[in-house]
Amino acid sequence: MSSKDGRTIKSAYRVLEILEYFDRKNRTATVMDLSRALEYPQSSTSELLRCLTKLGYLHYDRFKRTYSPTARVALLGAWVEPTLFRGGAVVTVLDRVADALGETVVLSTATSYVVQHLHVIDGLHDHAVVEHAGNTDCLLHSPQGKLLLSTYKDTHVRSALHRLNAEEQDPTRRVKVAEHMDELVRLRERGWIATADHGDGTGSVAVLLPPRCGSDRLVLSVLAPTAIIQARAEEIVAIVQEQRKGVLPMPRPKPAARPEAQMSTANGQQVPAWPMGYTRKIIPRTATAS
């Protein structure tokens, strides 16, 4: 076996161990967390994490500098035993929308400043739009990307727009930040966007799915020939919005209740006696000179 083959096998082994680490810990992790837990060199760990992020299997929070699995990891292998694994809320919604419309249905998210398609259900007719899981699209100019950008905080949106403008080599595709912010505010309130023609004879209706605490946002899109989108856009929006109710937002964890204080006497006064972890210093009064 060549040294190159050995490195490839080692990298494959480490990728699986990284995914299994997240499965065990059920939390986010930094490069150092994974490097120490799995006893990998920090440089190799960082390179693997960047690669998995680029492929859409991990999400990188550049503010907290942490990694976490994306929905694409959850959808891997769902086809192997569909009776066991295809009962999840998101996949069920995709299946029902596809059954109701007969068009191509796509689940997408944002990763590393691009839109990535996580899961695709092909349309049933000969002229159905062809899309593939793993494909990427422009975050700044695709309907799915605009919806996902609209979910960011305003400061993060501006940062993303400036970065995407700087990386765009075609000056005609750069946007005016203020005008684009106004459009994103409207999309944030509405939660969906219909585009009759992408310029290639196809269109789409994209709808945001409800937020899930600590997870990346997801967009469900229906792709179809332009004529179908023009004729059925309102019907498609209504169907998707009805089905998306099956994806309930994950509740935020409630903060731990602060235990009630018991009263005790100190310096002749009734004061709270807080449990371990709560301290209160009593400063006795001193007589003032007359």
Side-chain angles (χ1 to χ4, degrees):
M1 181 185 297
S2 68
S3 59
K4 182 178 180 180
D5 291 339
R7 288 195 300 271
T8 301
I9 292 173
K10 183 183 291 186
S11 295
Y13 182 79
R14 286 179 173 176
V15 165
L16 293 174
E17 281 202 320
I18 287 171
L19 295 178
E20 289 175 349
Y21 171 88
F22 284 112
D23 188 45
R24 292 194 307 272
K25 299 297 183 179
N26 294 318
R27 62 180 176 85
T28 60
T30 64
V31 173
M32 287 305 300
D33 290 335
L34 288 157
S35 177
R36 291 168 179 164
L38 302 176
E39 299 181 352
Y40 297 163
Q42 184 177 345
S43 59
S44 300
T45 306
S46 182
E47 185 178 352
L48 276 174
L49 292 174
R50 283 196 298 268
C51 181
L52 288 169
T53 301
K54 185 176 181 180
L55 291 172
Y57 293 103
L58 294 182
H59 170 74
Y60 178 62
D61 187 326
R62 64 190 184 92
F63 298 98
K64 298 179 180 179
R65 297 183 178 181
T66 57
Y67 291 86
S68 58
T70 67
R72 191 175 185 192
V73 175
L75 290 166
L76 277 175
W79 59 272
V80 178
E81 289 288 349
T83 57
L84 294 178
F85 299 108
R86 288 188 68 88
V90 173
V91 177
T92 298
V93 169
L94 264 68
D95 287 337
R96 289 177 177 174
V97 171
D99 290 342
L101 296 170
E103 302 295 341
T104 301
V105 178
V106 181
L107 183 70
S108 309
T109 192
T111 177
S112 298
Y113 290 96
V114 297
V115 173
Q116 184 162 60
H117 303 315
L118 304 174
H119 189 63
V120 176
I121 301 176
D122 295 326
L124 301 177
H125 56 86
D126 294 338
H127 301 290
V129 177
V130 176
E131 188 55 86
H132 301 286
N135 282 359
T136 58
D137 210 338
C138 179
L139 188 65
L140 194 56
H141 296 289
S142 66
Q144 299 92 340
K146 291 178 180 180
L147 275 179
L148 291 164
L149 272 174
S150 75
T151 67
Y152 295 5
K153 294 180 180 178
D154 286 349
T155 53
H156 296 172
V157 172
R158 290 189 179 91
S159 175
L161 291 177
H162 284 299
R163 173 169 175 167
L164 291 166
N165 272 340
E167 294 176 350
E168 179 56 66
Q169 297 182 357
D170 183 354
T172 64
R173 288 174 61 81
R174 294 172 188 160
V175 300
K176 294 182 179 179
V177 173
E179 293 179 2
H180 214 69
M181 285 291 298
D182 291 340
E183 180 184 2
L184 295 178
V185 168
R186 291 193 295 271
L187 288 177
R188 183 183 299 162
E189 295 173 352
R190 190 169 59 184
W192 60 269
I193 181 171
T195 307
D197 191 357
H198 295 152
D200 58 357
T202 69
S204 66
V205 172
V207 181
L208 275 170
L209 294 184
R212 301 165 305 142
C213 183
S215 300
D216 44 328
R217 290 301 298 268
L218 300 173
V219 171
L220 188 156
S221 305
V222 177
L223 312 184
T226 294
I228 293 177
I229 297 297
Q230 289 175 332
R232 304 182 65 188
E234 293 184 3
E235 176 192 356
I236 293 171
V237 170
I239 289 173
V240 176
Q241 287 185 326
E242 178 63 28
Q243 293 299 330
R244 75 190 284 274
K245 295 176 182 177
V247 185
L248 298 177
M250 290 178 61
R252 293 184 177 274
K254 296 181 179 179
R258 181 172 175 172
E260 295 183 0
Q262 296 178 350
M263 302 303 292
S264 64
T265 302
N267 297 325
Q269 298 178 353
Q270 290 289 320
V271 297
W274 295 106
M276 185 67 67
Y278 295 95
T279 59
R280 181 176 175 179
K281 185 176 180 180
I282 305 299
I283 302 176
R285 294 181 180 179
T286 57
T288 57
S290 58

